[in-house]
Amino acid sequence: MQTLDKFNFKGKKAFVRVDFNVPVDENQNITDDTRIRAAMPTLKKIIADGGRLIIASHMGRPKKNPDPKLSLKVIVNRVSELLGVDVKFASGAMGEETEKMVAELQDGEALLLENLRFYAEEQGKPRLPETATDEEIATAKQEIKAAQKEFAKKLASYSDVYVNDAFGTAHRAHASTALIADYFDAEHKMFGYLMNKEVDAVDKLMDNPARPFTAIMGGSKVSTKIEIIENLLTKVDNLIIAGGMTYTFSKAQGGKIGNSICEDDKLELALELLEKAKKNNVNMVLAVDAKIADSFSNDANTKFASVREIPEGWEGLDIGPKTAEIFAEVIKDSKTILWNGPTGVFEFENFTHGSRAVGEAIVEATKNGAFSLVGGGDSVACVNKFGIADDMSYVSTGGGALLEAIEGRVLPGIAAIKG
Ligand code: AMP
């Protein structure tokens, strides 16, 4: 497989798909530029080689072209500052003007294309009025697929090389994340550094992990994690179940859970997962006690209770101290660790204890040589909040893409390059 390091970009046009979908406030100021900074090593390498850089990204979910509130123009200055080059801006990803700008790019110069999703072709989803009939929808879906290919082909025609550094969209088969790769031979398509790190981290976890391998699944609901849990049950030695899911498992096993969050239609499933764990020799570690509250608020009255005996009017908002100790023991003995989802309502300071205990145990295991990966929105927020992100082996930027990879799915953006 071609790599960024092996390739000399001198005089070459490189189309680099990044994820610059950064949050902006009402005055169009960037509130968090992490995603821009994350792609810098790739962009800088290409510029340093004397390459001609075409940067492409999406932003938000535009419904029309143009959609001024979602213009990437707002990031041009920040990208220029970080890259150390005056980045030009093409006010559309298509059109004669853009083609001219692409053609005139010189060695060491950079051009940012306007939001790719201004074009419905990028995602391959038709934009139809709500009144559209089934027949119109079916026809439009067919048409857009053909148009999407043409769109990808046009984008590909801008450059000699395709680089994908947008792991966050790797689970989408969009024009610029997957289809475009068909127009480059194996020597001329590659992952960017960020994408490579993400792919390596997932591979480390899913292929031949050092053992024991422990996954900590938290968050609110079983229903959003079923596929991940099922796939992990074929991979891990220990599966720690935390967060709101705790109470669905507890109720399924006959526990009284008071007002705790619970998915009554998933009780059967919880028992099946426990059964499957037993069959696969996976040590499923469930909470034994909880920090319970008399309302869903940071200022609620609290006490500790068994997860099987939560009184009416009370709800579990974090794990209790006994559970924290049990989880920490398992984590500290592990050699590979995946953490997805907080153990409690970590947004409330009074219910961060469990997530902190898990985080600290992972820090210790990592210091002792374990490989630890944290991923999926809220766990990343957690490690950032606790100031321990740098103590993890890897904190994924991927969100949905990471979760799909852990579910065992092939990500189109990865397959398009790996073949
Ligand atoms: P997820 O997006 O599925 O990872 O869920 C993260 C959310 O789960 C966070 O917003 C937490 O506040 C929430 N959560 C964790 N534990 C609980 C709990 N015991 N009760 C209610 N919500 C919870």
Side-chain angles (χ1 to χ4, degrees):
M1 216 172 77
Q2 185 56 275
T3 68
L4 208 65
D5 278 331
K6 276 193 286 179
F7 199 88
N8 185 354
F9 286 88
K10 173 80 186 149
K12 303 275 189 228
K13 288 205 192 80
F15 182 100
V16 186
R17 176 55 157 102
V18 291
D19 178 0
F20 283 174
N21 182 25
V22 290
V24 290
D25 65 17
E26 62 278 11
N27 299 319
Q28 301 274 293
N29 294 313
I30 300 168
T31 52
D32 180 356
D33 66 357
T34 309
R35 287 181 171 155
I36 301 180
R37 281 186 287 108
M40 277 303 140
T42 296
L43 304 185
K44 283 187 172 167
K45 144 79 181 167
I46 294 168
I47 291 288
D49 274 4
R52 306 172 179 199
L53 192 54
I54 301 155
I55 309 168
S57 176
H58 72 283
M59 185 183 240
R61 292 160 194 251
K63 298 275 180 288
K64 55 184 184 190
N65 183 16
D67 192 339
K69 279 206 190 103
L70 294 171
S71 172
L72 280 171
K73 198 162 188 181
V74 296
I75 68 163
V76 177
N77 288 345
R78 190 79 192 108
V79 180
S80 299
E81 250 167 57
L82 289 167
L83 194 56
V85 165
D86 263 336
V87 175
K88 301 174 202 296
F89 183 68
S91 57
M94 296 277 129
E96 264 176 43
E97 189 58 31
T98 301
E99 283 173 40
K100 191 160 168 275
M101 290 180 93
V102 167
E104 287 172 358
L105 261 186
Q106 299 298 310
D107 291 3
E109 288 187 349
L111 172 70
L112 173 68
L113 302 183
E114 178 58 289
N115 193 345
L116 294 170
R117 288 194 190 164
F118 280 5
Y119 302 84
E121 289 89 340
E122 165 64 2
Q123 290 172 281
K125 272 197 236 147
R127 287 178 189 154
L128 289 166
E130 280 184 15
T131 50
T133 63
D134 286 352
E135 204 177 312
E136 282 165 343
I137 295 172
T139 312
K141 274 188 178 163
Q142 259 178 0
E143 283 171 2
I144 194 96
K145 285 294 161 205
Q148 190 185 28
K149 269 197 185 150
E150 283 308 308
F151 182 78
K153 192 173 173 185
K154 186 81 209 172
L155 293 177
S157 75
Y158 293 167
S159 71
D160 307 298
V161 194
Y162 169 64
V163 180
N164 189 349
D165 211 16
F167 184 72
T169 49
H171 56 317
R172 307 280 182 225
H174 293 169
S176 70
T177 61
L179 275 68
I180 187 174
D182 286 348
Y183 302 97
F184 297 87
D185 64 31
E187 290 300 303
H188 293 87
K189 54 184 165 188
M190 63 200 84
F191 295 139
Y193 291 128
L194 173 67
M195 183 89 161
N196 218 10
K197 272 200 282 184
E198 295 274 358
V199 171
D200 277 355
V202 172
D203 284 352
K204 236 180 178 164
L205 210 74
M206 304 314 269
D207 307 334
N208 263 328
R211 298 200 174 269
F213 177 7
T214 298
I216 305 122
M217 297 303 295
S220 53
K221 292 180 174 172
V222 189
S223 51
T224 58
K225 312 259 161 137
I226 299 169
E227 272 97 9
I228 302 174
I229 293 178
E230 290 200 323
N231 194 37
L232 287 174
L233 283 175
T234 66
K235 309 258 177 205
V236 300
D237 303 290
N238 306 300
L239 181 61
I240 294 177
I241 299 284
M245 284 188 278
T246 304
Y247 310 99
T248 301
F249 278 89
S250 172
K251 185 164 179 183
Q253 292 174 306
K256 295 197 180 77
I257 59 165
N259 291 355
S260 305
I261 187 171
C262 179
E263 289 170 284
D264 282 323
D265 60 336
K266 294 290 176 289
L267 299 178
E268 261 318 290
L269 175 80
L271 293 178
E272 277 165 31
L273 292 173
L274 286 167
E275 206 42 52
K276 193 166 176 191
K278 218 185 264 167
K279 245 192 231 146
N280 293 4
N281 269 331
V282 172
N283 174 29
M284 192 101 145
V285 191
L286 296 169
V288 294
D289 61 343
K291 185 168 185 181
I292 60 174
D294 60 359
S295 69
F296 188 80
S297 106
N298 190 45
D299 307 321
N301 293 309
T302 63
K303 56 185 177 180
F304 296 111
S306 153
V307 293
R308 303 283 182 98
E309 282 158 33
I310 299 175
E312 276 311 314
W314 292 74
E315 59 190 303
L317 295 188
D318 197 5
I319 54 172
K322 276 190 220 136
T323 304
E325 217 169 283
I326 296 170
F327 286 2
E329 284 294 302
V330 174
I331 293 167
K332 285 179 195 167
D333 280 341
S334 306
K335 287 282 169 260
T336 304
I337 302 161
L338 165 70
W339 185 15
N340 170 258
T343 66
V345 184
F346 80 107
E347 295 91 337
F348 297 155
E349 195 52 42
N350 289 333
F351 302 95
T352 54
H353 169 86
S355 301
R356 277 183 206 275
V358 163
E360 279 159 19
I362 301 176
V363 171
E364 194 174 323
T366 310
K367 279 195 184 126
N368 289 331
F371 174 76
S372 53
L373 191 156
V374 181
D378 278 328
S379 5
V380 176
C382 247
V383 293
N384 285 332
K385 178 171 176 153
F386 305 153
I388 53 172
D390 289 345
D391 300 318
M392 305 287 141
S393 309
Y394 195 70
V395 178
S396 173
T397 60
L402 176 81
L403 297 184
E404 286 202 14
I406 300 170
E407 281 171 14
R409 296 190 200 201
V410 176
L411 306 189
I414 293 175
I417 286 182
K418 265 193 175 170

